[in-house]
Amino acid sequence: MREVFFYLFAFLSVVFAVVSVTHRNVIKGGLSLLASFVALGAVYFTAGAEFIGIVQVIVYGGAIVVLYLFTLMTMDLKNFGKEPLRTISLAAGGAISLFLLFSILYAGYRFYGGSIPATVSGAKELALPLFYRFLLPFEVVSVLLLVATVGAVAVGRREE
Amino acid sequence: MTPFDFFILSGLLFAVGLFGVIVRRNVISLFFSLELLLNSANVLLVAFSRLHGNLFGEVFVFFVLAVAAAEAAVGLAIVVALYRYRKSVNTEDFSTLRW
């Protein structure tokens, strides 16, 4: 049962990712990016990473994509204009991404056997390494979020 | 559901994101592609965290999420400031700093 849901949601997340990158309309691209992230959260659930799946849906789906969509609301979508498709950038992008895909697959081929153990890591299991071994990086990340918030307000402020 | 399946998923997401970064000219679409790149790394971190039996990889996914949120906030502030000057989000209109 885990396998069926894993393949289903992995397929869905890749399909929605392709739509979000290639669609001309930015709003529809953002919505399909949201769908891709929610499907990826389901993939984490099938792998047993329960807390990460929840956080993926809340942070990526509920915060980051909504932030992008709110920013798009403040802009005039009519003067976004057409994007010219250049053959050279299409060819370069396709070649580089295919090369990277095959090199990732080549590096991962030795992990062909084996299987993911069917344990579940919820909030309780994740709290132990997060608040003991990685306590200092956790605090540094909180400072980073504060700095990013202050910086975003300072940069986005309207000049008087 | 072998670890290699996670490699396939991560590689496909990374290839799609990199294609978008190279081909698209809209800054918002570039940000979408960047989020896909970050997520493809997260997939492999979760898979290897499960495979090794400790949870350090999942802790790193947590940190990557926080950094992605900070990146989205600062990046969107820059995009809004640029849009106010140029009335455009196309990267080819921002080429004054190019050599």
Side-chain angles (χ1 to χ4, degrees), chain B residues 72-86:
Chain B
V74 176
L76 279 175
I78 292 172
V79 169
V80 168
L82 278 175
Y83 181 78
R84 210 171 283 150
Y85 282 115
R86 290 284 165 90

Side-chain angles (χ1 to χ4, degrees), chain A residues 63-85:
Chain A
I64 294 182
V65 177
V66 172
L67 191 66
Y68 285 129
L69 292 179
F70 265 109
T71 309
L72 281 172
M73 279 181 203
T74 67
M75 297 173 179
D76 191 7
L77 287 178
K78 285 203 181 67
N79 56 21
F80 268 27
K82 293 272 184 208
E83 293 180 55
L85 275 181

Side-chain angles (χ1 to χ4, degrees), chain A:
Chain A
M1 204 63 192
R2 280 168 72 212
E3 279 80 6
V4 176
F5 280 114
F6 172 78
Y7 291 119
L8 172 68
F9 284 115
F11 177 73
L12 276 181
S13 104
V14 172
V15 167
F16 279 120
V18 170
V19 172
S20 82
V21 163
T22 56
H23 207 288
R24 295 251 174 207
N25 189 337
V26 190
I27 300 285
K28 285 177 186 168
L31 284 179
S32 66
L33 189 76
L34 175 64
S36 171
F37 286 162
V38 171
L40 213 56
V43 167
Y44 294 153
F45 264 94
T46 65
E50 187 183 281
F51 187 71
I52 295 295
I54 295 170
V55 168
Q56 166 90 9
V57 172
I58 291 175
V59 173
Y60 267 115
I64 294 182
V65 177
V66 172
L67 191 66
Y68 285 129
L69 292 179
F70 265 109
T71 309
L72 281 172
M73 279 181 203
T74 67
M75 297 173 179
D76 191 7
L77 287 178
K78 285 203 181 67
N79 56 21
F80 268 27
K82 293 272 184 208
E83 293 180 55
L85 275 181
R86 297 209 177 79
T87 319
I88 178 138
S89 70
L90 271 180
I96 294 174
S97 52
L98 272 182
F99 172 72
L100 256 157
L101 172 63
F102 281 111
S103 54
I104 289 172
L105 291 188
Y106 179 73
Y109 190 71
R110 69 177 119 148
F111 295 102
Y112 187 73
S115 66
I116 301 290
T119 54
V120 173
S121 61
K124 194 179 172 189
E125 290 81 10
L126 207 59
L128 195 69
L130 185 61
F131 289 119
Y132 283 89
R133 181 156 181 172
F134 294 98
L135 184 61
L136 183 66
F138 183 78
E139 298 293 340
V140 171
V141 159
S142 70
V143 174
L144 171 77
L145 281 175
L146 177 68
V147 169
T149 313
V150 174
V153 171
V155 169
R157 194 167 46 109
R158 202 180 289 271
E159 295 287 334
E160 290 301 328

Side-chain angles (χ1 to χ4, degrees), chain B residues 4-38:
Chain B
F4 189 61
D5 294 335
F6 284 91
F7 264 96
I8 296 173
L9 175 60
S10 168
L12 282 174
L13 285 178
F14 197 89
V16 170
L18 192 68
F19 182 78
V21 168
I22 294 173
V23 170
R24 293 306 294 261
R25 289 285 173 269
N26 190 332
V27 182
I28 307 285
S29 293
L30 285 183
F31 274 118
F32 292 167
S33 309
L34 281 179
E35 301 293 341
L36 284 176
L37 294 181
L38 287 170

Side-chain angles (χ1 to χ4, degrees), chain B residues 35 42 60 68-69 79 91-92:
Chain B
E35 301 293 341
N42 281 353
F60 268 91
V79 169
T91 50
E92 290 174 353

